[in-house]
Structures are given as structure tokens and as C-alpha cells.
Amino acid sequence: MKNEKISAIKDGKRVIVKKPELLAPAGNLEKLKIAVHYGADAVFIGGQEYGLRSNAGNFTLEEMTEGVQFAKQYGAKIYVTTNIFAHNENVDGLEEYLRGIASAGVAGIIVADPLIIETCKRVAPGVEVHLSTQQSLSNWKAVQFWKEEGLHRVVLARETSGDEIQEIKEKVDIEVESFIHGAMCIAYSGRCVLSNHMTARDSNRGGCCQSCRWDYDLYETEDGQEKALYNNDDASFAMSPKDLKLIESIPRMIEIGVDSLKIEGRMKSIHYIATVASVYRKVIDAYCEDPENFIIKKEWLNELDKCANRETATAFFEGVPGHEEQMFGEHGKKTKFDFAGYVLDYNEESQTVTLQQRNYFKPGQEVEFFGPDMENFSQKIDKIWDLKGNELEAARHPLQIIQFKVERPLRAHNMMRKELV
């Protein structure tokens, strides 16, 4: 079995030579491009068929081709989720769809159903097959089985601990992908039937309505009568776990040899994708460059909070979670920031930014700019204009093109956020 070298001594200093892939989500072409601009080595997307996020924008084969061509310019890869558990009506058209994916140039598919696995190996042999987390893979014997089936990579269950991942990497020579950030499923991924029961939407065919995140009242039955287990002032009950955040566990994951670090969230905004991808990019690069002197910076943690909408925890990686990792009671976490603008251009001579409005803002407001190759900075907006030079009282209209003075240089694809009041 091959044992890959994780680190080496260069110029008298230990450095990481096996840098993991940073894998980001994208629900449409715009999000794919943002993920790549903000540091992702690879992006996973869904097509119009066979994926588990039917409410995401998803990609036509033409859009996949465009996404692949864009990603290749930056040395990034594209993977396509085909991870439903197929029913009989899903069989027709599968071969044609997989050949289309191969023609688009995608690097691999993420798949759970043996039918799709075997079909891909037969009709699209140049496409890597990655076993989906829907298979709930959490032991090295099962990983060995799928390696012998010819798979290139396994995406481990979110319930797998760090010690279990380490043993898998030590005993099986196969690429391992593990989640580092995003939503957690209350059940082993995709195995929940609450959505099917309550709304007839199948979790295993892309229809999950996220029943575990609904608010519930609690009752017990006593002598045939319902007895409330709450008071009117009590917070509602939800069954969902807190979202996953493993920023402080990245060093161990790198040292274990995890091959791909995965961010969840194909239905999230470009602000979310940009913020999370750029933070983990910085963490991975900083640790690989100088692991002996690495520290988690408070600014990284603060940055992640700027796009969070739920509480977070380390879930199973650092040990079995308890009740503190569940979203009992008040389970929302309102971020203090709002995505306000997307930078299109910057004129250094006039110090004028041209940006696309994404949420209302006006002169006099304090805003913050951020991007993949810059330090965040804040400034107060003075006057704003439209492209015809008309001064505006506010940027009210969605996607309106706005110009104003910014003292420090910016680049296209940088973003602007505002603090909520």
C-alpha cells in the first residue's frame, strides 16, 4: 500500500507537501465562478437529473461545459452530483446523461447508487467515480470494498470521527473526501423519511423539505389525552443539529492526509461561498506553509460569522456530539452583515469603484470590502452615482450599477458587505 508523504523539510523548515483539495459548492454558473475566484481547487455542481438538490439552480449540459472551461483556466476541477438512489423510472436516459457529462469534460461524478456507478464505468470510463456521503461510509473495510470496485474516491459519512478517518487513510490507499463546513443532516445523510412522510418529497431523490429544521410543539399522551410539554413562553423545538464548522480541525485533517476538504451549500448565496471558501483557503495555505508556527487567527473566525445563519459545532470529528451540538430551542443565528455589492471594476486614477448592487445601501453608511487576495477594509460611503453620472440618494434597485469613491484599490470580483442595524 502506498503511504503518501505529508510533509518534508525545506530550507530547514517543515512544510506540507501534500496539500488537500478545497472543494466548494455551486448551485449555478455564477456561484461556480465565484468559488473558483475565491480559492476553490474544485467545485461540485448538480445537473438537471440524478442530483439531490432539486431546488438549486442546477446546470444544463451546456452550462456544465462552460463551467468546466472556466475552471480549467484556473487549474480547478468540476465534479457533478448524481447521488440519488434510482427508482425504475430513473433508468431510462441514464447512459445518455452520463455520456453528456463526460463530453462536458467534468472530472468526476459523486454517486451513491450501484446502478449509476456501474453504468458510468461502462459508458464514461474517463470520468472519476466518487462514492457519495449518501452511502454513510464510516469504516475501513467498507472503504476497501469500494476501492476494489474501482472507485477513485470515497466521501465519508459526516458521522466519521477523526480517529476513524486516520485509520481509513492508514489501511486503504484511496482518496478520502470529508466535510468541513455547512449543514448537518439529523439522520445518516439521506436516510431520513420525515420529508417523505410529511410532504411526499423524497430525501433520496432531491426533494428533502428539511423537516428536522421546522419548529415543533411537544406533547405526550396520558390516558388518551394530549398533555403539552411546553409553556407558551418556551422556545419551539427543532430536531436539527447545529451546522458544521471544522476550521480549528483543519491542521489535523491535513496531517491525517485527507485528500479533499468539502464545503456544503449548493443553495447558499455567492456571499456565503466567497466568504467560506476564502477563509478556508487562507487556513489551508497558512498551515501548509509553516505548520510549526500556525495559529488560528481571530479574524478568520469573525469572517465565518459574517455569513452564518445558524449556530455551529464540530459535530463528530472531535468526538460524539452531545445536546450542546443540537439546535434545541432558539436555533437561528442572525448574521450582523448583509451582502451589498459585487465589484465589477476599479479605476485607480479616479479611485472610483463600479459595482453591482445586491442589497440596499446609501451614502453615509459604513461598508466593508473583502476579496481573495486582499485584507478586509472598511470605509464610509460618500456620494454615489449611476453610470450616467446622476447622483443618487440610495442604491435601491436590484443589480443596479453604482459608482462611488473608494480610497483603497479593489479588483473585479471583490465584494462589499454592510453591517445590519
Side-chain angles (χ1 to χ4, degrees):
M1 186 180 73
K2 177 180 67 175
N3 288 312
E4 292 184 89
K5 195 174 184 181
I6 302 297
S7 64
I9 302 299
K10 292 186 178 180
D11 299 325
K13 183 178 75 171
R14 189 171 84 93
V15 296
I16 301 298
V17 294
K18 182 179 182 291
K19 183 180 286 191
E21 170 187 271
L22 178 61
L23 177 57
N28 57 38
L29 199 53
E30 181 189 37
K31 294 175 184 179
L32 182 155
K33 293 178 180 180
I34 290 295
V36 173
H37 280 308
Y38 278 74
D41 300 302
V43 182
F44 67 100
I45 66 176
Q48 299 288 327
E49 306 287 342
Y50 302 102
L52 281 186
R53 286 292 180 269
S54 58
N55 291 327
N58 294 326
F59 286 68
T60 64
L61 290 175
E62 292 76 18
E63 288 171 331
M64 281 186 199
T65 302
E66 183 179 346
V68 168
Q69 292 172 350
F70 174 85
K72 282 183 176 178
Q73 297 176 43
Y74 296 87
K77 297 179 179 180
I78 302 297
Y79 308 129
V80 176
T81 58
T82 56
N83 51 348
I84 68 166
F85 284 101
H87 288 232
N88 292 332
E89 61 263 31
N90 301 124
V91 175
D92 291 342
L94 176 60
E95 292 187 8
E96 181 182 1
Y97 181 68
L98 292 173
R99 288 192 183 100
I101 286 176
S103 297
V106 302
I109 62 170
I110 304 170
V111 55
D113 194 306
L115 164 69
I116 302 177
I117 291 173
E118 295 305 313
T119 305
C120 184
K121 287 161 62 177
R122 177 167 51 83
V123 306
V127 176
E128 292 180 3
V129 180
H130 300 181
L131 191 74
S132 171
T133 191
Q134 305 304 117
Q135 277 286 356
S136 304
L137 203 59
S138 56
N139 69 82
W140 73 267
K141 282 284 191 180
V143 172
Q144 181 67 35
F145 169 83
W146 288 108
K147 173 182 167 56
E148 292 169 0
E149 286 294 304
L151 271 65
H152 183 81
R153 177 185 294 184
V154 294
V155 186
L156 298 180
R158 289 172 174 85
E159 297 76 21
T160 313
S161 71
D163 290 342
E164 290 169 325
I165 297 173
Q166 182 170 344
E167 185 173 6
I168 288 168
K169 285 299 299 179
E170 289 171 350
K171 292 185 174 179
V172 189
D173 179 21
I174 191 171
E175 285 191 7
V176 164
E177 180 177 307
S178 189
F179 283 90
I180 58 171
H181 199 93
M184 290 285 291
C185 188
I186 191 63
Y188 277 90
S189 295
R191 306 300 178 89
C192 178
V193 294
L194 284 176
S195 178
N196 305 50
H197 175 70
M198 294 177 174
T199 66
R201 288 169 52 179
D202 191 343
S203 300
N204 278 316
R205 291 200 286 174
C208 181
C209 66
Q210 301 185 332
S211 310
C212 65
R213 295 180 192 166
W214 297 356
D215 289 332
Y216 293 89
D217 296 328
L218 296 181
Y219 298 85
E220 67 177 358
T221 302
E222 188 175 282
D223 298 327
Q225 300 294 316
E226 287 184 347
K227 178 183 176 183
L229 295 179
Y230 66 97
N231 296 314
N232 290 335
D233 294 333
D234 290 344
S236 300
F237 175 81
M239 291 177 279
S240 179
K242 293 179 180 179
D243 281 2
L244 178 65
K245 183 174 74 175
L246 285 179
I247 181 173
E248 294 173 288
S249 300
I250 297 301
R252 188 183 177 202
M253 299 184 88
I254 293 174
E255 297 288 355
I256 287 173
V258 175
D259 299 272
S260 182
L261 304 177
K262 187 173 193 173
I263 300 164
E264 184 276 341
R266 279 194 286 135
M267 295 176 66
K268 296 291 183 66
S269 69
I270 65 169
H271 178 241
Y272 170 91
I273 292 168
T275 302
V276 176
S278 64
V279 169
Y280 281 99
R281 176 79 277 152
K282 291 171 184 174
V283 173
I284 293 167
D285 290 349
Y287 186 80
C288 290
E289 183 180 342
D290 190 4
E292 305 306 321
N293 296 302
F294 176 82
I295 59 169
I296 292 289
K297 296 181 180 179
K298 193 172 188 301
E299 65 200 57
W300 295 337
L301 300 174
N302 291 340
E303 188 76 358
L304 287 179
D305 282 342
K306 291 174 183 177
C307 67
N309 59 2
R310 284 190 291 270
E311 297 288 344
T312 58
T314 57
F316 289 83
F317 186 82
E318 301 291 354
V320 177
H323 74 276
E324 293 292 336
E325 284 72 45
Q326 298 298 117
M327 292 200 302
F328 299 131
E330 296 293 342
H331 50 83
K333 180 179 181 179
K334 190 75 171 176
T335 178
K336 296 179 181 178
F337 290 84
D338 203 1
F339 178 32
Y342 183 65
V343 174
L344 302 176
D345 191 25
Y346 181 79
N347 186 312
E348 292 194 26
E349 185 176 345
S350 63
Q351 293 188 314
T352 302
V353 65
T354 302
L355 58 76
Q356 185 183 65
Q357 185 260 37
R358 292 302 180 103
N359 270 299
Y360 175 93
F361 64 89
K362 63 182 181 180
Q365 281 189 294
E366 186 92 4
V367 294
E368 180 183 52
F369 291 95
F370 72 100
D373 301 313
M374 60 177 282
E375 294 293 325
N376 292 16
F377 69 90
S378 299
Q379 78 160 58
K380 185 174 288 187
I381 297 176
D382 190 12
K383 297 177 181 180
I384 64 175
W385 304 272
D386 63 18
L387 288 181
K388 295 180 180 179
N390 299 313
E391 188 174 342
L392 304 174
E393 293 181 357
R396 292 189 173 90
H397 307 298
L399 306 183
Q400 185 178 15
I401 308 302
I402 303 292
Q403 293 182 322
F404 57 91
K405 295 277 189 178
V406 177
E407 299 159 358
R408 294 171 60 174
L410 294 164
R411 294 183 181 178
H413 315 300
N414 291 163
M415 294 189 189
M416 183 183 84
R417 57 167 73 104
K418 63 176 183 178
E419 191 163 4
L420 297 173
V421 293

